[in-house]
Amino acid sequence: MPIITVDGQKHAVPNGKRLVLAIEEARVHIGHRCGGQGRCTTCRIRFDAGEPGTMTRAEHAKLVERGYFGDFRLSCQIICDHDMAIRSEVTLENQAANGWTDTGPAPAASVEPVAEWLPIEQLKNETRPA
Ligand code: FES
Protein backbone atom coordinates (compact mmCIF):
# COMPACT_ATOMS: atom_id res chain seq x y z
CA MET A 1 0.00 0.00 0.00
CA PRO A 2 1.39 3.42 -0.88
CA ILE A 3 2.11 5.81 1.96
CA ILE A 4 0.67 9.27 1.32
CA THR A 5 1.97 12.04 3.57
CA VAL A 6 -0.62 14.83 3.71
CA ASP A 7 0.41 18.03 5.46
CA GLY A 8 2.99 16.03 7.44
CA GLN A 9 0.70 13.14 8.45
CA LYS A 10 1.34 9.67 6.98
CA HIS A 11 -1.50 7.48 5.72
CA ALA A 12 -1.49 4.06 4.04
CA VAL A 13 -3.95 4.00 1.14
CA PRO A 14 -5.07 1.26 -1.26
CA ASN A 15 -3.01 1.11 -4.43
CA GLY A 16 -4.81 2.93 -7.24
CA LYS A 17 -6.92 5.19 -5.05
CA ARG A 18 -7.61 8.63 -6.45
CA LEU A 19 -5.41 11.09 -4.58
CA VAL A 20 -8.18 13.62 -3.85
CA LEU A 21 -10.10 10.84 -2.10
CA ALA A 22 -7.01 9.68 -0.20
CA ILE A 23 -6.52 13.23 1.06
CA GLU A 24 -10.10 13.31 2.27
CA GLU A 25 -9.62 9.98 4.02
CA ALA A 26 -6.68 11.62 5.78
CA ARG A 27 -9.28 14.03 7.23
CA VAL A 28 -8.08 17.02 5.25
CA HIS A 29 -11.10 18.86 3.82
CA ILE A 30 -9.59 19.60 0.44
CA GLY A 31 -11.67 21.42 -2.16
CA HIS A 32 -13.14 19.58 -5.17
CA ARG A 33 -15.68 22.10 -6.36
CA CYS A 34 -16.05 20.58 -9.84
CA GLY A 35 -16.53 17.08 -8.43
CA GLY A 36 -13.14 15.87 -9.63
CA GLN A 37 -13.53 16.78 -13.31
CA GLY A 38 -10.24 18.66 -13.67
CA ARG A 39 -11.98 22.00 -14.14
CA CYS A 40 -11.89 23.99 -10.90
CA THR A 41 -8.31 23.63 -9.50
CA THR A 42 -9.57 23.71 -5.88
CA CYS A 43 -8.07 20.24 -5.40
CA ARG A 44 -4.63 21.63 -6.21
CA ILE A 45 -1.66 20.53 -4.12
CA ARG A 46 2.07 21.01 -3.94
CA PHE A 47 4.43 18.02 -3.95
CA ASP A 48 7.27 17.69 -1.47
CA ALA A 49 8.17 14.19 -2.73
CA GLY A 50 6.99 11.55 -5.16
CA GLU A 51 5.45 13.75 -7.83
CA PRO A 52 4.22 11.47 -10.64
CA GLY A 53 6.08 11.75 -13.92
CA THR A 54 2.86 11.67 -15.92
CA MET A 55 -0.10 14.02 -16.08
CA THR A 56 -3.52 13.79 -17.68
CA ARG A 57 -4.19 15.92 -20.71
CA ALA A 58 -7.07 17.55 -18.77
CA GLU A 59 -4.82 18.45 -15.83
CA HIS A 60 -2.19 19.93 -18.08
CA ALA A 61 -4.69 22.08 -19.97
CA LYS A 62 -6.21 23.44 -16.76
CA LEU A 63 -2.88 24.12 -15.04
CA VAL A 64 -1.61 26.02 -18.07
CA GLU A 65 -4.85 27.99 -18.34
CA ARG A 66 -4.60 29.10 -14.70
CA GLY A 67 -0.84 29.71 -14.72
CA TYR A 68 -0.26 26.88 -12.23
CA PHE A 69 1.80 24.52 -14.40
CA GLY A 70 5.09 23.79 -12.63
CA ASP A 71 3.78 24.94 -9.23
CA PHE A 72 0.70 22.85 -8.48
CA ARG A 73 -0.85 19.52 -9.40
CA LEU A 74 -4.52 18.54 -9.38
CA SER A 75 -5.15 15.78 -6.87
CA CYS A 76 -8.29 14.66 -8.70
CA GLN A 77 -6.11 13.76 -11.68
CA ILE A 78 -3.60 11.61 -9.77
CA ILE A 79 -3.65 7.96 -8.70
CA CYS A 80 -1.89 6.71 -5.57
CA ASP A 81 0.45 4.06 -6.94
CA HIS A 82 3.62 4.97 -5.01
CA ASP A 83 4.63 6.93 -1.89
CA MET A 84 4.00 10.68 -2.06
CA ALA A 85 4.26 13.71 0.23
CA ILE A 86 1.97 16.62 -0.53
CA ARG A 87 0.70 19.86 0.96
CA SER A 88 -2.92 20.88 0.63
CA GLU A 89 -3.73 24.37 -0.59
CA VAL A 90 -7.49 25.05 -0.72
CA THR A 91 -9.56 23.64 2.14
CA LEU A 92 -12.98 24.10 3.65
CA GLU A 93 -11.37 25.77 6.63
CA ASN A 94 -9.33 28.34 4.71
CA GLN A 95 -12.25 29.08 2.35
CA ALA A 96 -14.89 29.63 5.04
CA ALA A 97 -14.45 33.39 4.66
CA ASN A 98 -15.31 32.95 0.97
CA GLY A 99 -18.61 31.36 1.90
CA TRP A 100 -17.73 27.70 1.54
CA THR A 101 -19.95 25.41 3.58
CA ASP A 102 -18.71 22.19 1.96
CA THR A 103 -15.85 21.00 -0.21
CA GLY A 104 -17.90 20.29 -3.34
CA PRO A 105 -19.61 17.35 -5.08
CA ALA A 106 -18.09 13.94 -4.32
CA PRO A 107 -15.50 12.85 -6.91
CA ALA A 108 -16.00 9.44 -8.52
CA ALA A 109 -13.67 6.57 -7.61
CA SER A 110 -11.78 6.80 -10.92
CA VAL A 111 -10.19 9.70 -12.73
CA GLU A 112 -12.55 11.83 -14.80
CA PRO A 113 -12.67 12.88 -17.57
CA VAL A 114 -11.30 9.63 -19.03
CA ALA A 115 -7.58 9.99 -18.46
CA GLU A 116 -5.08 10.44 -21.27
CA TRP A 117 -1.76 10.10 -19.42
CA LEU A 118 1.25 11.84 -20.91
CA PRO A 119 4.85 12.23 -19.67
CA ILE A 120 5.39 15.63 -18.03
CA GLU A 121 8.58 16.14 -20.05
CA GLN A 122 6.53 15.90 -23.24
CA LEU A 123 3.98 18.33 -21.87
CA LYS A 124 6.69 20.80 -20.88
CA ASN A 125 7.83 20.86 -24.48
CA GLU A 126 4.25 21.51 -25.62
CA THR A 127 3.97 24.34 -23.05
CA ARG A 128 7.12 26.22 -24.11
CA PRO A 129 6.51 29.23 -26.33
CA ALA A 130 7.54 28.63 -29.96
S1 FES B 1 -10.00 20.26 -10.65
FE1 FES B 1 -11.91 20.32 -9.63
S2 FES B 1 -11.73 18.73 -8.20
FE2 FES B 1 -9.85 18.65 -9.23
Side-chain angles (χ1 to χ4, degrees), residues 6-83:
V6 182
D7 298 337
Q9 301 293 316
K10 292 182 185 299
H11 303 272
V13 301
N15 192 38
K17 192 167 193 75
R18 209 171 176 187
L19 181 55
V20 67
L21 298 176
I23 293 169
E24 283 198 318
E25 280 189 9
R27 300 180 191 279
V28 172
H29 302 130
I30 190 165
H32 43 76
R33 303 297 284 184
C34 72
Q37 298 291 320
R39 294 196 308 256
C40 69
T41 74
T42 60
C43 69
R44 67 186 181 270
I45 54 170
R46 292 183 193 271
F47 269 89
D48 289 326
E51 182 174 351
T54 58
M55 183 178 281
T56 67
R57 178 71 76 183
E59 179 182 8
H60 177 250
K62 185 54 65 175
L63 292 176
V64 169
E65 177 193 311
R66 298 284 174 94
Y68 290 156
F69 185 70
D71 292 325
F72 293 101
R73 296 291 306 266
L74 298 182
S75 63
C76 72
Q77 300 294 301
I78 294 172
I79 294 299
C80 299
D81 58 3
H82 61 279
D83 293 356

